[in-house]
Amino acid sequence: MREYWSGWLGTKTPWTNGSGYRNAEVDALIEKAAVEGNPEARAAQFRAFQQIVQRDVPTLPLLELKFFTVHAANLKGAVEQGDQVYSSLRNAWFEAPNTDAPKGN
């Protein structure tokens, strides 16, 4: 949604509406869906949004990025952002096992 909402224009926020797309109907659907409590109504708003942007084609992706997630019990600091998509592993580390812990039989 952040690629299409005109409220991001002029904010210099990365990964938001780089095409400069403006459509009042799309903006209204995004804003309604953001606060809609009824799942069926929200799904209908998303479908209407998708139909409009597919018709308007405000962006045309030239490549598909493949994202992955890493999971391990001793991996710490891997996810620091809510969206996880643009997060980095630069602050991640593996916690060493506790070798002083008593061993069970």
Side-chain angles (χ1 to χ4, degrees):
M1 300 298 237
R2 62 181 163 196
E3 292 92 356
Y4 303 103
W5 185 56
S6 68
W8 284 112
L9 295 174
T11 64
K12 298 184 181 179
T13 304
W15 309 106
T16 59
N17 203 346
S19 68
Y21 179 67
R22 289 179 191 267
N23 182 315
E25 188 177 2
V26 167
D27 287 346
L29 287 165
I30 290 171
E31 291 161 9
K32 286 178 187 175
V35 297
E36 179 60 60
N38 179 313
E40 291 83 17
R42 189 167 195 247
Q45 291 160 351
F46 276 117
R47 281 191 296 277
F49 157 80
Q50 290 172 334
Q51 289 173 348
I52 295 168
V53 297
Q54 285 177 351
R55 178 195 67 217
D56 291 353
V57 191
T59 60
L60 184 60
L62 299 177
L63 61 102
E64 179 181 347
L65 300 175
K66 298 198 183 268
F67 297 103
F68 62 92
T69 302
V70 179
H71 296 279
N74 62 338
L75 180 63
K76 307 298 179 193
V79 177
E80 294 186 357
Q81 289 181 223
D83 61 13
Q84 298 179 15
V85 175
Y86 302 111
S87 190
S88 170
L89 295 174
R90 74 173 169 213
N91 295 320
W93 75 95
F94 286 101
E95 187 173 75
N98 184 355
T99 57
D100 297 332
K103 307 258 190 273
N105 289 334

